[in-house]
């Protein structure tokens, strides 16, 4: 069943993003106000997350549910760009100015042919 493939991708994305952010199952469970066993069951596929829990997990881990479910149709470049976009969305004005300056400097260096 095709839905099972998407659920497997979702479970993997949740587990990978949680680990990348160095968040334990226990810590994620605490943030969600659920038991650690519930998170373990979601990641292992023994339980499907409710839509409310799924949305909260996506917010906490800063993942796009669209990019997980529809990832087959995207290039690695688009995936990276979406991650950058999500990080920019949560950045304050000072951070955005700093990022802009860094990007402009990198672009100038690239145009000058400097490596």
């Amino acid at each position: 069943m095709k839905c099972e493939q998407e659920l497997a991708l979702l479970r993997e994305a949740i587990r990978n993003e949680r680990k990348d952010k160095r968040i334990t199952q226990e810590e994620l469970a605490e943030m969600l106000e659920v038991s650690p066993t519930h998170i373990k069951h979601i990641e292992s596929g023994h339980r499907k997350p409710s839509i409310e829990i799924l949305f909260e997990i996506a917010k906490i881990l800063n993942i796009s549910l669209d990019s997980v479910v529809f990832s087959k149709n995207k290039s690695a470049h688009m995936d990276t760009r979406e991650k950058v976009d999500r990080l920019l969305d949560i950045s304050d004005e000072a951070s955005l100015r700093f990022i802009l300056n860094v990007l402009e400097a990198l672009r100038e260096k690239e145009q000058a042919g400097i490596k």
Side-chain angles (χ1 to χ4, degrees):
M1 182 178 213
K2 189 163 173 49
C3 185
E4 291 303 316
Q5 291 173 341
E6 277 83 14
L7 287 171
L9 288 172
L10 181 61
R11 290 191 303 268
E12 185 178 328
I14 290 169
R15 182 176 37 256
N16 290 341
E17 286 296 322
R18 178 184 58 74
K19 287 181 176 183
D20 286 350
K21 290 176 175 49
R22 294 186 168 97
I23 298 172
T24 65
Q25 287 179 336
E26 292 78 15
E27 291 167 332
L28 182 58
E30 188 175 315
M31 290 181 227
L32 294 166
E33 299 178 352
V34 298
S35 73
T37 304
H38 189 68
I39 300 301
K40 180 180 177 184
H41 286 174
I42 289 171
E43 288 186 3
S44 67
H46 291 99
R47 195 177 275 168
K48 296 176 187 171
S50 69
I51 195 75
E52 292 86 2
I53 292 293
L54 186 57
F55 286 155
E56 287 303 312
I57 289 171
K59 283 195 283 187
I60 290 168
L61 298 179
N62 195 31
I63 59 175
S64 164
L65 298 177
D66 280 350
S67 69
V68 172
V69 175
F70 302 110
S71 63
K72 293 176 260 176
N73 301 328
K74 291 186 185 180
S75 67
H77 172 77
M78 289 304 294
D79 187 46
T80 301
R81 187 165 188 125
E82 284 183 0
K83 287 179 181 180
V84 169
D85 286 343
R86 287 194 308 275
L87 290 172
L88 291 174
D89 285 343
I90 61 173
S91 297
D92 62 12
E93 185 63 27
S95 295
L96 289 171
R97 281 192 205 113
F98 176 77
I99 293 166
L100 177 61
N101 290 336
V102 169
L103 289 173
E104 287 173 339
L106 286 170
R107 185 68 174 160
E108 287 175 15
K109 181 179 170 184
E110 184 180 90
Q111 288 175 344
I114 302 170
K115 292 191 178 190

